[in-house]
Amino acid sequence: MNNVTETPVVLLDFWCDLQCPDCHRALGDLQVLQERFPSALEIRLRHFPLPRHRYAHTAAQAAEEARAQGQEDAFVTALLTRTAELGKQGPRMLTALAAELGLDAEEMDTALVDGRHLLVVDADQAEGAALGVTGTPTYVIGGERFDGGRSQEGLRERIAEKAERLLRRDG
């Protein structure tokens, strides 16, 4: 008989546009939340490219290819620190970033051309719209949506409080 007690895990969906400067600002909050709940909070990137960001949809596909190559977190973090550069350089910046991070840049380029990750990105976007996501960053935890944006003030604490309530309930 196995007496191992599993720690409950709460899922936090982070709806993100990878060309959005507000999503870059949200990274600090996500890091603090992950440190506060190291084994109890799973943060999942969900794609919600906004029409006003010309390369956001392509960037989301690139993030999925980085995930396929085992480097999603590093790629997304690096990309969000360079949203202005993406806006100026477009897809060539994505393949250059992949190369900088040691990913297979040629495979990245191929993935962006053949569209192998389109369905994942489009499914995320459709699900986000169904949940009422209209902008980024947006967070969903325990079925409750928290809308971010330019002002993230108080948002991290509200999300942490929700996570604590969910963990108490499941624990």
Side-chain angles (χ1 to χ4, degrees):
M1 182 157 208
N2 190 349
N3 289 333
V4 176
T5 305
E6 287 192 28
T7 304
V9 175
V10 172
L11 181 63
L12 172 63
D13 281 334
F14 170 55
W15 298 88
C16 179
D17 172 318
L18 292 170
Q19 197 177 345
C20 173
D22 296 329
C23 289
H24 172 240
R25 286 188 282 278
L27 285 179
D29 285 337
L30 291 172
Q31 183 177 1
V32 169
L33 287 165
Q34 192 66 73
E35 290 168 0
R36 186 167 172 179
F37 304 99
S39 60
L41 184 67
E42 178 186 342
I43 299 171
R44 181 171 60 172
L45 174 69
R46 304 300 300 273
H47 301 291
F48 201 80
L50 300 170
R52 71 177 173 266
H53 293 134
R54 181 175 179 189
Y55 301 114
H57 201 275
T58 304
Q61 293 174 69
E64 287 300 313
E65 179 56 30
R67 178 192 319 245
Q69 294 187 35
Q71 293 288 332
E72 178 191 33
D73 290 344
F75 186 85
V76 167
T77 299
L79 180 55
L80 283 172
T81 65
R82 296 161 70 172
T83 56
E85 190 178 334
L86 174 61
K88 291 176 186 160
Q89 295 181 17
R92 73 176 185 269
M93 180 270 190
L94 299 168
T95 53
L97 179 59
E100 285 174 31
L101 296 173
L103 282 88
D104 184 336
E106 189 173 310
E107 192 63 27
M108 174 69 72
D109 188 52
T110 300
L112 295 178
V113 170
D114 71 21
R116 69 182 73 158
H117 302 294
L118 275 171
L119 290 177
V120 171
V121 174
D122 290 347
D124 272 6
Q125 192 163 29
E127 185 179 343
L131 292 170
V133 175
T134 58
T136 59
T138 297
Y139 311 85
V140 176
I141 181 170
E144 187 173 347
R145 191 183 76 233
F146 296 87
D147 298 321
R150 286 202 168 103
S151 174
Q152 296 280 113
E153 186 151 343
L155 196 57
R156 179 177 63 208
E157 277 311 308
R158 290 180 21 232
I159 293 168
E161 289 167 5
K162 178 72 175 188
E164 287 170 352
R165 284 194 307 272
L166 290 168
L167 290 166
R168 278 195 305 271
R169 184 189 74 194
D170 292 345

